[in-house]
Amino acid sequence: MKDFLLKNKLVILLTFIILVLLISIFTKSFGMEKYEKVEYSLGIVNTDYLNMRTGSGINFNSITLLNKNEYVRIFGKIGEWYVVQNEKNQVGTVNMKYINPVEEEKAATTNTETIENLYNSNLTAEESELLNLINNERSKNKLPNLEIDESVQNVARLKAKDLAENSYFSHISPTYGTPFEMLRNNQISYKTASENIAGNSNISGAFESWMNSESHKNNILSNTYNYTGIAVVDSIAYGKIIVQLFIGR
């Protein structure tokens, strides 16, 4: 036995070194970063085109892209990555530096209705972005947030699709008539109503053009409206067609 060990000393030593290296690599590869709870449960995205990934690192696949001013639920963090849920109920991770936590007290007093609308309605990311921009502007002017009304939203989408498919740009649809007729024909009651439409390549550009127009700005900042419906559809002519219906009850 002694002679065998002496003769094969080099082979045994090399085998031992390889075994140690394999154990080290295995341990490093399968080590798990610590999951930590956080003191807040809501956050808002502070950049456009943020990747939400399948794991805590840039080497993981992207699930979807998040947009600036979009709200997310925060469940915890792994290293420098938050575990989040977006408004489409997708769960993934995002880098912490691109999410601004929302304090619970502030959320309870100023953002609860908006956040609940984002999660409980079927708004797309772009529709949510526009709603956030408009309600932020209303808040600056000490006006209450507009709430999403699902029926009004469906009419807005009907109008946006009609605009895109039939290649016209007008408040009066050759198919459905005026916005007021569309609301009434869909059994939506209201005291006051109005409509903003835009053709633009992006949401922020459409919002800015509305704010630079007196009539559109007046709709956005009117205290006679408390419900809204928002639609964004792709358009060959403009990039995007954006429709927002306002109603007051």
Side-chain angles (χ1 to χ4, degrees):
M1 182 68 177
K2 186 176 181 180
D3 291 339
F4 174 81
L5 292 174
L6 288 173
K7 289 179 180 179
N8 295 279
K9 184 177 179 181
L10 181 59
V11 174
I12 294 170
L13 180 61
L14 287 174
T15 301
F16 176 76
I17 292 172
I18 292 170
L19 182 62
V20 170
L21 287 172
L22 287 173
I23 292 171
S24 174
I25 293 170
F26 181 87
T27 303
K28 183 177 180 181
S29 299
F30 289 87
M32 295 177 67
E33 289 191 75
K34 182 180 178 183
Y35 173 83
E36 301 176 64
K37 292 184 178 180
V38 292
E39 297 178 355
Y40 31 82
S41 61
L42 295 169
I44 189 167
V45 179
N46 60 30
T47 187
D48 281 321
Y49 310 114
L50 174 62
N51 281 299
M52 187 168 79
R53 299 183 180 274
T54 57
S56 54
I58 60 173
N59 292 326
F60 289 91
N61 292 332
S62 176
I63 300 170
T64 188
L65 293 176
L66 303 177
N67 293 307
K68 190 174 182 179
N69 296 321
E70 186 172 342
Y71 283 98
V72 294
R73 293 190 191 278
I74 303 175
F75 297 114
K77 66 177 182 177
I78 303 172
E80 297 181 352
W81 294 74
Y82 283 134
V83 180
V84 302
Q85 178 188 29
N86 68 359
E87 64 213 30
K88 297 178 182 177
N89 291 322
Q90 295 170 303
V91 176
T93 63
V94 293
N95 194 292
M96 291 171 56
K97 66 183 179 181
Y98 300 116
I99 301 291
N100 296 333
V102 178
E103 296 177 9
E104 294 294 337
E105 294 80 3
K106 183 178 180 181
T109 56
T110 62
N111 290 316
T112 300
E113 289 183 356
T114 300
I115 293 165
E116 288 305 312
N117 284 332
L118 291 178
Y119 286 119
N120 294 332
S121 71
N122 59 344
L123 293 176
T124 66
E126 291 175 319
E127 290 162 355
S128 297
E129 180 184 354
L130 182 56
L131 179 63
N132 287 333
L133 288 169
I134 285 170
N135 278 338
N136 286 340
E137 195 66 33
R138 287 176 66 87
S139 295
K140 292 177 187 177
N141 288 270
K142 304 187 185 307
L143 294 167
N145 287 345
L146 293 174
E147 297 181 30
I148 288 292
D149 181 290
E150 294 292 341
S151 297
V152 177
Q153 184 181 324
N154 290 337
V155 173
R157 285 180 173 165
L158 190 64
K159 176 63 175 288
K161 184 180 179 182
D162 187 50
L163 285 165
E165 290 183 351
N166 293 300
S167 302
Y168 73 97
F169 193 81
S170 170
H171 289 291
I172 302 174
S173 164
T175 310
Y176 302 109
T178 68
F180 316 107
E181 290 173 320
M182 291 185 71
L183 290 169
R184 288 195 298 269
N185 290 337
N186 284 274
Q187 290 76 52
I188 297 171
S189 61
Y190 60 90
K191 291 180 180 178
T192 57
S194 191
E195 179 188 69
N196 281 356
I197 59 175
N200 207 292
S201 59
N202 58 71
I203 301 304
S204 59
F207 174 73
E208 288 174 9
S209 69
W210 281 351
M211 293 304 294
N212 289 326
S213 164
E214 196 67 27
S215 60
H216 294 87
K217 180 179 178 180
N218 287 342
N219 285 337
I220 291 171
L221 298 181
S222 172
N223 61 5
T224 63
Y225 302 129
N226 46 13
Y227 293 96
T228 190
I230 293 171
V232 180
V233 299
D234 291 334
S235 164
I236 296 175
Y238 301 100
K240 297 181 187 302
I241 287 287
I242 300 100
V243 174
Q244 181 168 22
L245 284 168
F246 304 82
I247 68 167
R249 288 187 176 131

